[in-house]
Amino acid sequence: MQIFKFGGASVKDASGVKNLAEIVSSFDSQKLVIVVSAMGKTTNKLEELVKHAHGGEDYTNTLNELKDYHRAIASELLGETPTRYLEFEMLLEQTLESLSNHEPMLAYDMVVPFGELMSTSIIDAYLNKSTKCVWFDARSVIRTDQYFTEANVDWVVTEKQIINDLKPVVEESIVITQGFIGSDVEGNSTTLGREGSDYTGAILAYCLNAEGFTVWKDVPGILNADPRILEGAEQYEKLSYREVTEMTYYGAQVIHPKTLKPLAQKSIPLIVRSFLDKGRLGTTIATDNTTKMIPCFVFKGNQLLVTAQVKDHSFMDEKKLGLILQVLDLLNIKINLMQNSALTFSFCIDNKEFKSKRIKELLNRDFILSFESPLNLATIKNYTPDAFNKLPWNRTVIMEQKTSNNYQVLYR
Ligand code: ASP
Ligand code: MG
C-alpha cells in the first residue's frame, strides 16, 4: 500500500487535477490512498472569509470568488458541478451565517476545512470517470484534541478508527481523502496547523503500515537551498529522517515538521518528487541514508531579536534564564538562536507582533528589554569552508554561532 499526498499547488487548476489523475492511473495496480489539500491558495481565502464573517463584515465577495474558482475547475473537468461539492458549498454558507457566535479559533476550524472537502469532492468525481475511487471523510478517523487551529492527534483513537473504518475500504478500492483536517470528541472539525496535509499522509502511512509515502511537489525533490534565494541549489538523492528533521527545525520548508516522526517509527520511506516531471525519482528519506552531506542552507526573514538585561548588577544566572524560558514556553514561542552573557540573555524568534507584546507584559517587571527587527537568520548545516562564500556579502552581523556541524548568523 502506498500513500500519496498532493498539495494545493498541484491541484490549483483543471490541468493540475488531470495531471494528478495521470499519476494515479500509472499506479492503480497498487493499493493507494490519495491525500489532497485545498486547491491553490484556497486556505488563505478561507482565512480571509473567517475574518470577515466572524467580525460581522460583508463576506459575499470573498465567498463568491471561492465558489467561482471551484466551479470553474469543476466545469472544465466535468462539464457540471458534482453533488457532493454543492452540498459542501451549502454547508459552508450555513456555517458562515452564525459564525460570530463562536470563539475565534473554533470559528476558524468550522470554516477552513471546507477547502479540503471541496477540492476532494471535485477531484473524486473526476477520478471516477476513469478509475474506481472512494471519497473518504478524514474527519471520521483522525481524532484530535480541542486545540483548534493546531490540534494534536489522539493516536490511540485515530489508529483504531483507521484500522476499523478506512483499512477495509483501501483493500477494495483507491481512496481519496483530505489532508490537514480531523475532528474532536464532540464531532467539531479541527485542523492540524497550516501545511498539515503532509502530516495527515504520515498518520495514515503509520496506521495503515504503508510501504511508502510519496509527497508530490512542484520541486524535483529536497534541495539544499531555496532556489529562489540561492543560485545553483542541488538536490539530495537520499536523506535520513534525522537530517530532514533537523532541516525543518532550522526552518527549511521541505515538509511539515511533524511528518517525520511517525514515518521513522515504522521505517516507512518518504519520497519527495515532482508532479511536473513525473519521470524523475526525487529524494528518498529513510533510515541510515548516510551519504556524505552537502551543506544545506536555510534562510529565514522577519526575525526579532529580544535582549533581556538584568535590572541590578547580579548575573543572568540559571534562575533568571529559567524564568525567561518558562515565559517563552507559555507563549508557545520557538527560539531560533540564543546567546547569554554576564548580564544579558538574547534570543531570536519569528517576528509576530502579538507575541512580542506578551513578552513585554510578562518580562518587563524583571528585566530591561530591547527589541530589534526585522532581521535575517541564515543557517548552514554541514558547512564546508566554501559554503560561507554563498552567504549575502553586505550583511551586518548581529549574532553568530558555530558548532562542529552548523553555522548560524543573524544579520541586518
Ligand atoms: N490547505 C492547508 C494549507 O494550505 C493544508 C496544506 O496545504 O497542507 O495550509
Ligand atoms: Mg497547501
Side-chain angles (χ1 to χ4, degrees):
M1 183 192 304
Q2 297 286 336
I3 315 291
F4 283 0
K5 180 255 170 172
F6 290 90
S10 69
V11 292
K12 68 177 195 306
D13 51 24
S15 71
V17 177
K18 288 180 186 164
N19 185 52
L20 175 152
E22 266 176 42
I23 293 172
V24 168
S25 74
S26 63
F27 287 90
D28 67 1
S29 57
Q30 305 188 31
K31 287 176 193 153
L32 203 58
V33 180
I34 309 160
V35 177
V36 188
S37 301
M39 290 173 157
K41 300 274 176 224
T42 297
T43 306
N44 294 354
K45 248 293 155 296
L46 284 162
E47 285 186 343
E48 220 178 282
L49 192 59
V50 178
K51 226 172 109 192
H52 292 155
H54 192 262
E57 296 160 35
D58 181 23
Y59 55 80
T60 337
N61 282 346
T62 320
L63 178 62
N64 285 340
E65 276 171 36
L66 206 70
K67 281 166 39 174
D68 292 347
Y69 170 63
H70 284 92
R71 283 175 181 230
I73 295 176
S75 140
E76 194 175 336
L77 290 169
L78 300 152
E80 58 177 5
T81 324
T83 317
R84 180 178 288 117
Y85 167 82
L86 288 172
E87 284 166 10
F88 282 128
E89 212 184 78
M90 236 163 63
L91 213 56
L92 170 62
E93 289 181 14
Q94 286 166 10
T95 308
L96 290 168
E97 275 160 24
S98 59
L99 204 66
S100 46
N101 302 335
H102 300 276
E103 287 291 305
M105 305 283 219
L106 172 63
Y108 181 101
D109 276 2
M110 287 167 74
V111 171
V112 172
F114 279 99
E116 272 67 15
L117 294 166
M118 298 198 293
S119 80
T120 50
S121 302
I122 295 170
I123 298 165
D124 168 62
Y126 182 72
L127 286 175
N128 267 297
K129 291 205 333 179
S130 50
T131 328
K132 184 174 177 297
C133 174
V134 172
W135 184 90
F136 193 90
D137 193 331
R139 295 172 301 175
S140 70
V141 289
I142 310 275
R143 168 67 64 78
T144 71
D145 62 9
Q146 296 189 322
Y147 201 93
F148 299 111
T149 76
E150 292 269 358
N152 302 293
V153 171
D154 178 334
W155 279 92
V156 176
V157 177
T158 299
E159 185 168 23
K160 206 169 114 214
Q161 296 190 142
I162 288 177
I163 291 169
N164 287 343
D165 304 338
L166 175 57
K167 198 162 180 232
V169 189
V170 186
E171 296 293 337
E172 293 297 318
S173 167
I174 292 180
V175 169
I176 176 166
T177 191
Q178 309 77 33
F180 178 57
I181 64 175
S183 68
D184 69 10
V185 68
E186 292 171 44
N188 297 306
S189 295
T190 56
T191 58
L192 307 178
R194 288 302 305 263
E195 305 303 325
S197 295
D198 295 338
Y199 184 37
T200 304
I203 297 166
L204 297 178
Y206 177 94
C207 296
L208 292 165
N209 286 317
E211 278 130 38
F213 172 32
T214 304
V215 175
W216 296 88
K217 287 179 75 110
D218 55 2
V219 286
I222 295 186
L223 306 177
N224 75 329
D226 184 336
R228 289 167 300 187
I229 299 179
L230 213 71
E231 256 178 51
E234 293 174 67
Q235 186 200 317
Y236 296 103
E237 238 174 81
K238 294 175 174 178
L239 283 168
S240 65
Y241 297 115
R242 187 194 158 127
E243 194 64 35
V244 181
T245 304
E246 287 178 9
M247 284 181 184
T248 62
Y249 176 83
Y250 291 116
Q253 285 171 338
V254 290
I255 199 96
H256 190 277
K258 285 185 176 172
T259 311
L260 278 312
K261 189 174 157 192
L263 298 175
Q265 275 174 328
K266 288 205 176 169
S267 304
I268 300 168
L270 167 65
I271 296 129
V272 177
R273 60 189 289 185
S274 168
F275 62 77
L276 299 168
D277 191 355
K278 305 192 270 282
R280 239 170 120 155
L281 285 180
T283 303
T284 303
I285 299 129
T287 317
D288 274 332
N289 265 337
T290 39
T291 44
K292 186 167 165 359
M293 293 298 306
I294 52 170
C296 169
F297 298 83
V298 186
F299 294 95
K300 271 169 90 75
N302 202 17
Q303 297 293 294
L304 169 71
L305 179 69
V306 184
T307 300
Q309 191 188 326
V310 295
K311 283 193 167 166
D312 46 26
H313 286 92
S314 63
F315 291 146
M316 174 58 80
D317 61 12
E318 285 65 20
K319 201 180 226 89
K320 296 196 188 77
L321 288 171
L323 186 75
I324 297 170
L325 293 177
Q326 251 175 28
V327 165
L328 296 182
D329 179 39
L330 182 80
L331 301 177
N332 217 348
I333 291 174
K334 177 180 172 290
I335 299 178
N336 298 328
L337 188 68
M338 60 184 168
Q339 225 160 64
N340 60 327
S341 71
L343 306 180
T344 66
F345 178 60
S346 301
F347 54 94
C348 157
I349 60 178
D350 292 347
N351 189 14
K352 291 188 185 132
E353 204 188 314
F354 65 99
K355 298 241 173 172
S356 51
K357 216 176 115 208
R358 294 286 288 142
I359 291 176
K360 254 184 227 154
E361 283 164 11
L362 294 173
L363 290 176
N364 237 342
R365 207 193 56 174
D366 297 297
F367 303 99
I368 301 161
L369 298 170
S370 64
F371 296 84
E372 182 172 355
S373 69
L375 298 169
N376 301 295
L377 177 66
T379 303
I380 315 178
K381 262 180 76 33
N382 314 308
Y383 61 79
T384 56
D386 282 352
F388 297 101
N389 301 329
K390 297 202 173 167
L391 293 178
W393 279 111
N394 50 356
R395 60 184 194 269
T396 309
V397 173
I398 308 288
M399 195 196 269
E400 218 172 5
Q401 221 164 73
K402 201 169 175 184
T403 66
S404 55
N405 287 319
N406 304 333
Y407 171 73
Q408 290 191 285
V409 58
L410 185 68
Y411 60 95
R412 207 182 276 139

